[in-house]
Amino acid sequence: MKKTPLYQKHLDYGGRVVDFSGWALPVQYSGIVEEHKAVREAAGLFDVSHMGEISVAGPGAADLVYYLVVNDTSRMQPGKVMYTPMCYESGGVVDDILVYMKAPDDWLLAVNAANTDKDYEWILEQASGKNVTVRNLSDETAQVALQGPKAEAIMSRLTKAPVQQLVFYTFMDAVDLEVGRALVSRTGYTGEDGFEIYMPTDIAPQLWDRIMEAGKEEGLIPAGLGARDTLRFEACLPLYGHELEKDITPLEAGLKFTVKLDKTDFIGKKALAKQKEEGLKRKIVGLEMLDKGVPRHGYEVYAGEQAVGTVTSGSFAPTLDAYLALALVEAGYTGLGTELEIDIRGRKKAARVVKTPFYTPRYKR
């Protein structure tokens, strides 16, 4: 297994390390529910150094990024961040990524860990002859996520830079954090306010210690992948390989707001325009369990004897004290209040279509 620069810190803090897509990462420290609640009520610190970072730079960089993604990056300015899927010609998703505009000729793409090599090869392929330089910076970049309502107070103790002025989906580069400089981004994957910090790998252990020390009085605790998943799940933030993949389009995943069909061109435009015109045959919905049972990824969803969908994510939701699921379901069964059943280990358990997101995110706008 690959180790992040913070591997020893996870051991020092009592993290239970597991194999996550080939990375040795903590699933939990004190416990998933405790860590989940800390992020909702105070703050949690996550090691997300397994995530990938790809630089796209040069005279043709802006045009290439515009063509690669479904969202409209031509509206961006330096210091802005944009969330967007990156699609195949079929409309299926290569990955969902964050796009950072540093300058018109300098862009950073933050990609999902398991997709880093695939994304890099895909971007290189599209970059051929476009007057750009594409570099995979993942091995030289560490990343931590400081998340929760107390994140701003903690972040403000770490630097003299006016990070409190950052609003959701903006960033500052080369922020002086005493142990070194880092890119500080007001983004996250928890449904709470917070920051994601990109830094050279060699300063990551010292910065982790500094953040933990600065957050002591605010109730900051280290948090693992288990809580990261339950937090993103409550906020209905998609996870690649679950709500998004090569066979699921952004429209089916409920990400219509990212798909700008009025763009001049982008990979997958024709297929997505056709899908929108013809109407969705299936889409992601939220389900609440009416019977006892834990819905899990891959479980089938039924309307009577007919299989009408599949669970993409399912879990106990600590904030809501309920067992919930996201599922890809045939369009005729997606209305709010529709009663369905989920096959849980050979037994059909009742569930009902409910509004999403389950938890309303609290971002700084």
Side-chain angles (χ1 to χ4, degrees):
M1 289 188 288
K2 295 182 189 173
K3 294 175 181 175
T4 77
L6 293 166
Y7 177 76
Q8 188 56 46
K9 294 295 173 192
H10 305 320
L11 301 184
D12 294 346
Y13 280 85
R16 183 153 73 81
V17 173
V18 298
D19 183 344
F20 179 80
S21 298
W23 288 88
L25 286 164
V27 66
Q28 65 179 56
Y29 298 88
S30 52
I32 292 172
V33 173
E34 184 182 334
E35 293 161 26
H36 179 110
K37 288 182 174 175
V39 173
R40 290 275 181 256
E41 297 164 10
L45 183 62
F46 301 82
D47 175 14
V48 285
S49 300
H50 58 303
M51 300 293 279
E53 295 83 18
I54 297 169
S55 164
V56 180
D63 288 344
L64 175 61
V65 173
Y66 179 85
Y67 179 64
L68 280 171
V69 302
V70 303
N71 213 333
D72 186 1
T73 54
S74 71
R75 298 185 293 111
M76 294 179 71
Q77 296 173 333
K80 299 285 187 185
V81 190
M82 181 175 278
Y83 169 77
T84 178
M86 179 167 63
C87 287
Y88 295 106
E89 287 291 2
S90 65
V93 178
V94 180
D95 202 1
D96 62 326
I97 68 176
L98 291 184
V99 176
Y100 289 80
M101 184 185 185
K102 294 184 173 187
D105 61 353
D106 189 4
W107 301 70
L108 179 70
L109 311 182
V111 305
N112 283 299
N115 291 337
T116 302
D117 293 341
K118 176 190 75 175
D119 289 2
Y120 178 57
E121 293 302 325
W122 174 255
I123 294 164
L124 274 179
E125 196 180 313
Q126 310 309 318
S128 180
K130 298 274 201 316
N131 200 14
V132 296
T133 301
V134 179
R135 292 172 58 221
N136 186 350
L137 306 178
S138 307
D139 288 345
E140 59 199 69
T141 308
Q143 188 193 154
V144 297
L146 173 62
Q147 300 283 295
K150 301 291 181 69
E152 182 181 286
I154 298 166
M155 197 71 218
S156 297
R157 292 191 188 121
L158 297 169
T159 180
K160 291 174 183 170
V163 288
Q164 64 277 6
Q165 292 177 13
L166 288 173
V167 293
F168 193 50
Y169 271 64
T170 63
F171 74 95
M172 291 179 184
D173 201 3
V175 174
D176 185 356
L177 298 171
E178 285 191 17
V179 297
R181 293 186 178 274
L183 185 154
V184 176
S185 167
R186 198 135 198 178
T187 47
Y189 192 52
T190 61
E192 296 298 332
D193 186 21
F195 300 86
E196 292 175 312
I197 306 166
Y198 300 79
M199 74 208 84
T201 53
D202 61 335
I203 69 167
Q206 301 122 283
L207 185 58
W208 177 276
D209 288 341
R210 278 206 76 221
I211 298 171
M212 289 303 299
E213 183 62 32
K216 251 184 194 171
E217 293 173 21
E218 304 292 351
L220 173 66
I221 64 172
L225 294 172
R228 191 164 185 257
D229 192 49
T230 54
L231 289 158
R232 75 89 197 166
F233 171 68
E234 286 186 343
C236 294
L237 302 174
L239 174 62
Y240 191 86
H242 292 246
E243 287 73 44
L244 291 168
E245 56 170 274
K246 63 180 174 58
D247 298 320
I248 302 175
T249 73
L251 297 176
E252 293 171 331
L255 298 175
K256 180 183 174 184
F257 71 96
T258 68
V259 181
K260 309 300 185 189
L261 292 172
D262 56 350
K263 279 175 62 172
T264 312
D265 198 16
F266 62 86
I267 302 170
K269 179 179 178 180
K270 197 175 290 184
L272 292 170
K274 183 172 185 246
Q275 187 177 60
K276 186 186 177 189
E277 188 182 328
E278 292 178 352
L280 295 177
K281 295 181 173 61
R282 56 183 193 166
K283 66 177 184 176
I284 297 282
V285 297
L287 296 173
E288 180 180 13
M289 296 304 300
L290 301 176
D291 289 339
K292 281 187 177 179
V294 185
R296 297 290 187 202
H297 173 71
Y299 288 4
E300 286 202 285
V301 179
Y302 284 84
E305 295 303 308
Q306 183 185 350
V308 296
T310 309
V311 172
T312 56
S313 293
S315 173
F316 174 68
T319 313
L320 305 153
D321 194 26
Y323 288 93
L324 304 169
L326 292 169
L328 187 61
V329 174
E330 290 178 18
Y333 302 91
T334 58
L336 288 179
T338 302
E339 295 208 359
L340 299 166
E341 291 179 305
I342 299 175
D343 185 335
I344 298 178
R345 296 180 181 175
R347 293 187 178 185
K348 288 182 182 173
K349 303 285 188 174
R352 178 174 53 216
V353 177
V354 293
K355 188 180 175 185
T356 55
F358 307 130
Y359 175 83
T360 304
R362 300 188 294 178
Y363 304 130
K364 181 174 177 180
R365 300 291 184 179

